[in-house]
Amino acid sequence: MTNKYYEFFCPVKVIAGKAALEHIPFELTGLAAKRPMIVTDKGVRAAGLLDPVIAACEESGLEIVSIYDDVPPDSSTTVVRDIATVYRKEKCDSIIAVGGGSAIDTGKAVNILVSEGGDDIAKYSGAGILKHPLKPFFVVPTTAGTGSEVTSVAVITDEKKGVKLPFTSSFLLPNAAIIDPRMTLTLPPHITAATAMDAMTHAVEAFTCMAKNPLSDAYATAAIKKVSQSLLAVMDNPKDENGRLELAQASTMAGIAFSNSMVGLVHSLGHATGAICHLPHGLCMSLYLPYVLEFNIESIREPLGELLLYLEGPEVYSATPAARRAEASISAIRKLRDALHKRCELPRTLKETGKVLESQLEAIAEMALDDGSIMFNPREVTKEDALAVLRRAWA
């Protein structure tokens, strides 16, 4: 499974640690930006997470010209157009996205419109359409999971057509990602769990899928180790700043890993389930991970076995015979999911979500086969295969 040829690209500056937010003004002025706009959602603002960002800017004499705090959980082309209109009216010159995946994707899409002009975001959809750098763009993630702060992808829903528009370009990458543990301290337990498992899945798929390479492997294994060591500690002590920082860094590292080595069937099934049953992405990732690994096991024995070291530590790894390590890695992931289920009822099966009907499995399987990430799955997937995995994940 070694690749003779690969590319690895991650030009995002990462600013991480306990006073990371205070560095935003320095980064903005370094790009001659004086009038930033904040793009966020109601929840982030209500939790008081904008306060340290605004304070840091004001202390340095930068004025936040405009705050748009109405990004919905599933962002749409209409929202993007509205924000771009405000940006132009207020003569902003840069964007700070503060939030989870949706706020970050929205910020990326708004940046396309305000940099390229026009108000039809759909015409920039696809890969390789953008030819020029965009306006200064900074990202402050408030969940530790999506890795959006270091990926060159955004997904925005076109409500009129009822489709999700993908945007891919290295110009969508932020100028800097600001990882500050203060931003995730107030995350509720079930979101902490789901987003951390999202990062875990990014890393495991990055390490076991077709386009893995030595550089993405290094980021993926480090992310898996951080989630394994910190997630339950943070679940039991949500105000643990060091643990929160570890999870946030794991999310960023997993994002760097998978945007360079791609993901596989867990994501194909997750995207389809999200579209049909409206389940959160991180929850879908956590749910499907062990079932897909079981399906892929004969194609990924070696790398999956290697992951036992990062999931369970050196003692367990050395005490487990090499031939049993792949199975032991899956058991370790199941054990972690059981522990999370006990703490916050994070569903482990489709049935436990209460939002999926058995009659929908067929449609999910069909949609998953059309998902781009299935190309990188280490084992060929037929519709029957996808259905079999879904049935195992059902109960």
Side-chain angles (χ1 to χ4, degrees):
M1 253 172 78
T2 50
N3 283 333
K4 300 265 187 293
Y5 170 88
Y6 69 89
E7 294 181 5
F8 184 91
F9 183 68
C10 183
V12 177
K13 180 171 184 176
V14 175
I15 299 163
K18 291 191 177 164
L21 294 171
E22 278 67 26
H23 290 260
I24 295 176
F26 175 77
E27 295 299 322
L28 282 164
T29 49
L31 293 169
K34 296 184 178 66
R35 296 174 65 83
M37 171 188 220
I38 290 180
V39 174
T40 188
D41 61 55
K42 290 272 191 276
V44 169
R45 194 167 197 174
L49 297 178
L50 295 188
D51 303 345
V53 181
I54 296 168
C57 288
E58 283 174 349
E59 273 167 33
S60 307
L62 270 177
E63 60 165 331
I64 303 273
V65 189
S66 173
I67 297 175
Y68 184 97
D69 67 0
D70 219 358
V71 175
D74 210 0
S75 192
S76 69
T77 48
T78 323
V79 174
V80 171
R81 195 177 320 136
D82 291 349
I83 302 175
T85 306
V86 176
Y87 180 103
R88 292 178 183 127
K89 198 179 91 201
E90 301 290 350
K91 296 189 171 54
C92 302
D93 60 11
S94 47
I95 296 170
I96 305 172
V98 184
S102 186
I104 297 172
D105 279 9
T106 303
K108 288 176 178 175
V110 170
N111 204 9
I112 297 176
L113 280 190
V114 299
S115 305
E116 292 281 333
D119 53 13
D120 178 17
I121 188 70
K123 73 176 200 210
Y124 300 105
S125 178
I129 314 281
L130 300 174
K131 301 287 185 242
H132 310 284
L134 308 179
K135 305 266 187 216
F137 177 50
F138 298 90
V139 169
V140 184
T142 58
T143 66
T146 64
S148 278
E149 65 277 5
V150 285
T151 65
S152 53
V153 181
V155 179
I156 302 288
T157 303
D158 185 333
E159 289 166 317
K160 288 194 183 67
K161 296 200 178 92
V163 291
K164 290 190 179 246
L165 300 173
F167 300 84
T168 307
S169 166
S170 59
F171 295 124
L172 289 179
L173 288 160
N175 296 85
I178 293 94
I179 316 294
D180 193 307
R182 284 174 288 178
M183 303 311 274
T184 56
L185 283 176
T186 55
L187 273 187
H190 67 104
I191 296 183
T192 301
T195 51
M197 289 305 289
D198 190 8
M200 172 71 92
T201 305
H202 287 153
V204 171
E205 285 213 291
F207 195 78
T208 52
C209 283
M210 301 282 282
K212 74 192 255 78
N213 63 68
L215 290 171
S216 66
D217 284 355
Y219 281 96
T221 51
I224 291 167
K225 185 174 173 183
K226 284 186 185 310
V227 176
S228 301
Q229 290 180 343
S230 300
L231 178 51
L232 294 179
V234 168
M235 293 299 291
D236 294 339
N237 175 17
K239 293 278 178 263
D240 169 8
E241 272 202 19
N242 292 329
R244 288 284 187 190
L245 183 57
E246 286 289 278
L247 292 178
Q249 293 177 123
S251 168
T252 300
M253 295 171 95
I256 293 170
F258 92 86
S259 56
N260 281 284
S261 70
M262 302 307 155
V263 284
L265 181 58
V266 184
H267 274 77
S268 312
L269 292 171
H271 292 152
T273 311
I276 293 170
C277 310
H278 307 293
L279 286 176
H281 178 73
L283 165 60
C284 296
M285 296 299 97
S286 177
L287 199 153
Y288 287 127
L289 183 58
Y291 304 106
V292 170
L293 292 175
E294 282 165 355
F295 170 76
N296 284 335
I297 193 162
E298 291 314 328
S299 313
I300 58 171
R301 240 175 213 291
E302 202 181 335
L304 184 56
E306 258 180 82
L307 290 184
L308 187 61
L309 176 60
Y310 306 97
L311 288 161
E312 293 276 39
E315 284 79 13
V316 174
Y317 179 80
S318 55
T320 308
R324 298 285 310 150
R325 282 175 188 156
E327 284 83 356
S329 290
I330 298 176
S331 300
I333 290 167
R334 285 184 174 276
K335 197 172 80 183
L336 178 56
R337 295 192 330 149
D338 290 342
L340 293 172
H341 184 260
K342 209 167 94 186
R343 285 167 172 81
C344 68
E345 291 189 7
L346 188 70
R348 297 157 298 185
T349 62
L350 290 169
K351 211 170 180 175
E352 282 178 353
T353 66
K355 294 221 174 92
V356 184
L357 306 171
E358 212 167 346
S359 56
Q360 292 175 304
L361 300 187
E362 188 103 3
I364 295 173
E366 268 174 31
M367 194 180 226
L369 290 186
D370 288 335
D371 190 87
S373 38
I374 210 159
M375 302 187 323
F376 296 96
N377 196 64
R379 185 180 160 190
E380 279 283 326
V381 188
T382 63
K383 188 181 161 191
E384 277 58 52
D385 292 333
L387 258 176
V389 174
L390 285 164
R391 290 203 181 101
R392 297 209 54 186
W394 169 254

